[in-house]
Structures are given as structure tokens and as C-alpha cells.
Amino acid sequence: MKHFAYLLPVCCLLFAACRKDSPAIEIIPAPLCVKAGQGTFDLGGGIRIAPADSLLRPAAGYLVQLFREENVAAAQNAENANLSLALDPRLPQQGYTLKITPARIELRGGSCEGVVSAAASLRQLLWAGKGSLPALEIDDAPRFAYRGMMLDVARTWIGVDGVKRYIDLLSYHSINKLHLHLSDDEGWRIEIRSHPELTEIGGFRGGDSPVRPVYGKWDEKYGGFYTQDEMRGLIRYAAGRNIEIIPEIDLPGHSRNIASVHPEIRCNYPPDTLSTNGYDYRSAWCVAREENYALLTDILGELCALFPSEYIHVGGDEVDMTQWKRCPDCQALMRQRGMADPHQLEDLFMQRMAAILSANGKRPAVWNEAVTTGDLAHDSRVYSWQSVKACLDATAKGYETVVMPGEYFYFDMRQTPHEDGHDWAAVFDAKKVFGFDFTDKGFSPEQMRNVVGLQAAFFSEAYVSHEPEKPDYLDYMCFPRICALARIAWRGNGEGWDAYYKGLVEKHYDRMAAMGIRFRLFPPKVSYKDGAFTVTADDGSEIYYTEGDTPEEHRYTRPVKTGKPHLYRFFTRYKTGR
């Protein structure tokens, strides 16, 4: 991070110098420095990729897949190639240059990561190329090394192909971390070979499963899980696209699923199930039960062996500590250790998790509640979600922090009061995401040194009732909010919303359509006056309306006169957007 902090003022000077003659390419995230060249590169002759050294073979393989819609092939030798890849030690690790001349295309990176970022930018240019590419040179490097997205596959099951599609969409936008939420009260999604019952039973809910259905699909046994071999395939697939998968097993709360499979992990007192039709809703591991740590050693040991990530996320959020207060064993443990606050029990539990991870060569990642007391080891990475205040608290305590306050970055939140989603954190769209500013929120320079990067999250409770067999709801909730996240995590928001929105509408809508994203359009503006509706859309989309309970759609072409305005609903479409 020190290198990135040093790089920022230099990059800002480069940007100021470069943009005067830059072509309007509107890549998302926008490059730091673009210089216009002379002429164009003709795509009609095809793209021939030069042989790459061993370090860049993954990037070369990705390029072939990335450009599968174009006439692309691997060249037999460098002389016959018109696209080359190279490492450049003068560049930052994730920095890159992309140079296009009428004769050839050159991608250079400070590492394979930088080359893949260059490839993602080139892919966006190709979608808008229409037979040729403008000659230009891009010099670019990200603001933050960590640019993440969390996907909850525990509440709503998303299979291997769906996750691969999501990885592709993230890579197109230079998001380089995929935080997979693999367990929660409703599902356990990763095979643990020493305890196959965790997925054989806990991978499903409803039907004959002991896990009760919630949120949707009430009348069927529903779910799924990844085998370890399938997960290794996903890890390789993501790595080839410059994305690290960070797994999460949510502990010690949010564990009703595994507690339904292994009821003995719960605290030692009889639950009140009279009002829940016999179902035990307790969701926390008993801190005092020593056998629990043997089970967790098995689970975390297999995760550490499976995932290359330096970090394993072990949760720490929303623990119902009233269960510990009612547990005679937990209370005895508190007295034995001189504890006055149940948060100290969570500290003890998390320290035990950190020790298991350390024995396996890993470090813990946790939600911000796990550092309430500040006693958790400072080699932990904090994912701060509850509020901006929680982010400020974690950074002030000296923890490496991924900033993701829910009121800006929880993409399961509604985008207007009239749309689907949750609203407990906030109701917001991409404009608010784009507007997040560290200085305005009170982060000091010292606190910024502890900011690892930005991340958003999609928790999937509501997804299960929105045809999860299709990605439509996931796309609608995440795009273009992910585009705004990518922009501010890569370069900030200095150009202002109006300029960003213009590029989003004029260039990136078409790219998202080419990517197959069922993205959200900003709502039309509707006014009713003197007995008539007037409706406009400033993004070039087509306007439609329905009347009453009939599903028939009408194209809006002029003001609609009616004395019953409450019967009308207006909406827009543009290609795959709606």
C-alpha cells in the first residue's frame, strides 16, 4: 500500500498532462492517462497473439478466450504477430500500458495482473471498435490494490457456471477479488471431505432436510454445493482472469445450518421452540465446548489446503450473544477468565480461529464486529460493513480494512423505494456509489494507510424468490452499481457524476449489452399535469407503459391523457437493460 500511496500523486500529474489530447474512449474503470495516436488498427485482418514467456502464458490463454468473438489466433512466432504481451519492471505491479498503432497492439504490465487488466481494457475497446481501433496509448495503474465483490451463494445457490459468468463480468471491470460467502443459516456450500454430512445434508433445505426453508421455494428441497474439485476449477478459472477467490465460513454466529446437522455445537441449555413449531433457531457455536474446536480444525484445515488465498474469512458478524448469556458453560468460562462482557467470548473464539489458521499458514479475515474490543491480533484483515463509523473505527485501531459500508456498497439494497430489494441499510443507486469519498467521510491520512481497498456485497436472501435459475435479478441489482464501484476503486470520482454518467450511457450501456448483462436503467422521469402524463428518459431508452391490471404494453410516443393516473405504470428498455 505504501507503493500505491506514493504512486497516486505521480499518477495525478500524469493524468493532468495526458488528458488534453485524449480520445473519448470511456472505458470503465476510466484509465489514468490516454494519449491519442495517428490512424487506426484494422480488425479485418485478425489478431495474432505472439508467443508469451511462461509467466504470461495464463494471460495469453485468457486473451484467446476473451477475444473469441473476433478473428484471433496464436501466432507461430513474434514476427508473424500483431499483438504482443510483455512484463515491464518499471511499472507498478498492477499497472499496465496498452499501445495501439496501425500495425500492432502491445500490452505491458508490471506483472501478469497488469497484463490482464490491459486485456480487459482492450476487450472494452473491441466491443466498441466496429471494425477498427483508434491508435492510442494508455498508461494506467489502480488507486487500490484490492477491488472486491462479495457474492452470497449460501442463501441462494449459484452453481459453477453461474459463478464463472460472474467472474467474467468482474474481470471485464477490473474487480480482482471475489469474496465467496459459503455458509450461513440457510446453506453450507463447500465440500469438507472429513465431514461429508455438512454438504450432503446442510447443502439443502426444505423437503427431508433438517434445515427449514426461508425466503422462498417453500415447497421443495433446494440447494447445492461445490465439490473440492469443482472449487479448484473455479479458483483456476478466476486466477486466469486476475481474480483471487477469498472463502468465508461465517462463524460463530450465522451457523444455524451446521447446527441443524450437528446440534451438539450449540450452547448447553434447552431452547424455547414452542413458538417455532419445534425448530431450534439458535445460530451460535458454544464457545466453551472444546469439541467444537476439533470440528473447526478439520473444516478450516481443509479450506486452508484448498484455497491459495492468504486470508480465510471466518465471519464474526451479528452474533446473538444472548445464547452465551443463557449458557451455563459459557458463563462458567467467563467467570474462570475474569470476563465481564460477552464480546470477550467472541474475542476468545476468534483467537482460537486465528490460531488454527496460523497453524495452516493463513491469516484471518473478519467482519468489523470481531474487532469491537480491539483485542484481535492486528495481522487480521477487517471487512467493515456496518457503517462509515465502523470503517473509521477499524482503521483508527490500526487494522488493515476493506471499506464496504452497507449504505453505499450493499447491492442487495433497493435502488428506489418502488423497486425490489432490502432497505434496512439505505435506498440507493449507482450515483450514490460513485459519490463515496474518503475525505468527506473523515478518513485521516493515517487511517487511509490502513485502507486496503473497496468492496461491495450482494447478499442473496431475496434472490431465491426471483427466479435464481436466471441471472436477471442478480444483474439488475449489481449493474451499473458494480461499474461505479470499479471506477472509484480504480481511480476515484474526480471527474464528477455528470461526465461519468455520460460515458456510462453513451458507451458502456452497449458494452454491458454485449456482455449479456441484464442491467438496470435509471427510471424514467414522470410528471402528471392537467390530466396528462409526460414521460422522459435521458439515456436513450424506449419508454413503455401498462394500464390497470392488463399485461399489454404500449409504447410511449406522446403525452398520455387520463383521468385515472393511479392505473398507469411506466418503464424503459434499452437492449438488455430495463
Side-chain angles (χ1 to χ4, degrees):
M1 284 305 297
K2 291 179 181 177
H3 293 298
F4 281 91
Y6 170 77
L7 182 66
L8 277 173
V10 179
C11 289
C12 290
L13 290 172
L14 282 171
F15 176 70
C18 291
R19 292 298 290 188
K20 292 179 180 178
D21 61 347
S22 65
I25 58 172
E26 279 93 22
I27 290 172
I28 291 180
L32 199 61
C33 175
V34 185
K35 294 180 181 178
Q38 297 293 323
T40 59
F41 177 92
D42 182 11
L43 293 168
I47 298 173
R48 300 177 301 281
I49 301 175
D53 64 37
S54 58
L55 290 175
L56 288 176
R57 280 174 194 156
Y62 176 49
L63 274 169
V64 172
Q65 297 178 50
L66 196 61
F67 304 153
R68 56 187 176 271
E69 298 170 9
E70 280 76 25
N71 181 14
V72 61
Q76 296 299 313
N77 52 62
E79 290 73 24
N80 189 41
N82 57 10
L83 188 151
S84 63
L85 317 178
L87 295 174
D88 188 339
R90 296 170 297 177
L91 294 171
Q93 183 177 350
Q94 293 189 28
Y96 73 88
T97 63
L98 168 60
K99 186 175 183 179
I100 301 174
T101 69
R104 64 188 294 105
I105 301 170
E106 297 177 1
L107 285 69
R108 293 180 175 271
S111 66
C112 189
E113 293 178 80
V115 174
V116 170
S117 293
S121 295
L122 179 59
R123 171 71 271 181
Q124 289 196 33
L125 291 173
L126 284 166
W127 268 314
K130 299 179 181 179
S132 65
L133 294 173
L136 53 79
E137 184 171 352
I138 295 174
D139 291 290
D140 205 3
R143 177 191 191 191
F144 291 115
Y146 188 111
R147 305 172 303 281
M149 186 70 202
M150 195 221 77
L151 181 62
D152 171 13
V153 297
R155 272 65 172 269
T156 299
W157 165 242
I158 301 174
V160 169
D161 289 343
V163 175
K164 283 184 174 179
R165 175 182 181 270
Y166 200 71
I167 288 169
D168 284 336
L169 299 183
L170 295 181
S171 72
Y172 295 151
H173 294 86
S174 294
I175 300 295
N176 66 344
K177 310 290 180 183
L178 174 59
H179 170 180
L180 276 184
H181 189 74
L182 292 169
S183 79
D184 213 295
D185 291 330
E186 297 76 36
W188 187 282
R189 303 302 181 199
I190 183 66
E191 176 191 26
I192 303 298
R193 289 176 175 172
S194 60
H195 295 277
E197 71 280 1
L198 296 183
T199 48
E200 290 173 359
I201 300 173
F204 303 88
R205 90 294 184 281
D208 62 357
S209 171
V211 184
R212 181 169 288 186
V214 289
Y215 302 124
K217 292 189 176 292
W218 305 101
D219 301 323
E220 62 182 279
K221 186 174 182 177
Y222 169 76
F225 62 91
Y226 311 107
T227 68
Q228 291 196 11
D229 287 340
E230 286 173 331
M231 184 53 68
R232 287 189 185 92
L234 282 173
I235 291 167
R236 287 193 298 270
Y237 189 87
R241 287 150 180 77
N242 190 26
I243 292 175
E244 174 190 358
I245 295 182
I246 300 166
E248 180 191 354
I249 299 296
D250 205 350
L251 304 166
H254 283 278
S255 297
R256 190 179 304 125
N257 179 281
I258 188 173
S260 298
V261 180
H262 284 282
E264 70 278 5
I265 72 170
R266 291 181 168 122
C267 284
N268 180 24
Y269 66 89
D272 177 10
T273 59
L274 187 63
S275 63
T276 60
N277 196 26
Y279 191 60
D280 191 343
Y281 270 97
R282 290 179 296 167
S283 59
W285 292 68
C286 179
V287 181
R289 188 176 187 275
E290 193 61 31
E291 294 89 340
N292 283 351
Y293 300 104
L295 176 56
L296 288 163
T297 296
D298 292 343
I299 292 169
L300 295 179
E302 291 196 33
L303 287 182
C304 291
L306 178 59
F307 287 90
S309 174
E310 179 184 2
Y311 289 89
I312 304 293
H313 201 304
V314 288
D317 64 313
E318 297 182 321
V319 182
D320 181 3
M321 296 182 185
T322 62
Q323 297 170 42
W324 295 341
K325 291 179 180 179
R326 293 185 62 188
C327 175
D329 297 338
C330 287
Q331 289 301 299
L333 180 61
M334 288 185 69
R335 288 191 298 271
Q336 176 189 339
R337 298 205 172 220
M339 296 177 177
D341 185 340
H343 283 99
Q344 293 172 289
L345 282 179
E346 183 173 22
D347 288 345
L348 176 61
F349 184 92
M350 284 301 178
Q351 288 160 8
R352 296 288 297 268
M353 297 306 98
I356 294 170
L357 295 178
S358 178
N360 287 275
K362 303 291 187 180
R363 297 168 64 182
V366 297
W367 297 113
N368 59 261
E369 295 100 313
V371 297
T372 298
T373 66
D375 287 341
L376 190 64
H378 277 68
D379 66 345
S380 307
R381 175 183 284 169
V382 176
Y383 287 67
S384 198
W385 69 277
Q386 279 185 308
S387 62
V388 172
K389 181 180 178 182
C391 299
L392 291 166
D393 177 68
T395 52
K397 288 174 178 172
Y399 288 101
E400 287 188 2
T401 303
V402 176
V403 172
M404 51 182 301
E407 65 264 38
Y408 285 88
F409 297 113
Y410 266 35
F411 293 169
D412 45 308
M413 296 296 117
R414 295 182 184 186
Q415 298 175 79
T416 66
H418 307 291
E419 294 177 75
D420 287 334
H422 302 296
D423 60 5
W424 56 262
V427 177
F428 65 93
D429 60 17
K431 184 175 182 179
K432 183 176 179 180
V433 179
F434 180 85
F436 183 81
D437 184 271
F438 284 96
T439 302
D440 289 348
K441 298 303 177 188
F443 287 81
S444 69
E446 183 177 357
Q447 286 173 299
M448 286 303 300
R449 285 192 283 273
N450 292 322
V451 174
V452 176
L454 290 167
Q455 178 169 292
F458 176 80
F459 282 98
S460 64
E461 298 101 317
Y463 189 16
V464 73
S465 60
H466 287 82
E467 297 184 280
E469 297 78 15
K470 300 188 295 185
D472 293 26
Y473 183 75
L474 177 63
D475 286 4
Y476 186 89
M477 299 301 282
C478 290
F479 291 92
R481 289 195 279 197
I482 281 179
C483 305
L485 166 71
R487 174 61 164 81
I488 63 172
W490 189 275
R491 216 195 77 205
N493 54 12
E495 71 177 322
W497 170 256
D498 290 342
Y500 169 80
Y501 179 68
K502 183 175 186 293
L504 179 72
V505 169
E506 294 180 356
K507 299 288 185 179
H508 206 63
Y509 275 10
D510 288 339
R511 292 196 198 105
M512 286 193 287
M515 296 174 197
I517 299 173
R518 299 277 289 157
F519 60 97
R520 175 189 183 266
L521 299 169
F522 288 84
K525 295 178 176 64
V526 181
S527 65
Y528 181 74
K529 185 178 181 181
D530 298 330
F533 277 115
T534 301
V535 187
T536 59
D538 59 9
D539 57 7
S541 57
E542 297 177 343
I543 304 171
Y544 297 85
Y545 65 93
T546 59
E547 181 181 359
D549 296 327
T550 61
E552 182 181 3
E553 298 178 0
H554 307 277
R555 177 80 184 276
Y556 175 89
T557 56
R558 58 182 177 271
V560 177
K561 295 182 178 180
T562 178
K564 300 179 178 180
H566 60 281
L567 296 180
Y568 287 77
R569 182 172 67 94
F570 294 87
F571 55 96
T572 59
R573 291 199 189 101
Y574 180 80
K575 296 186 176 180
T576 59
R578 66 224 194 270

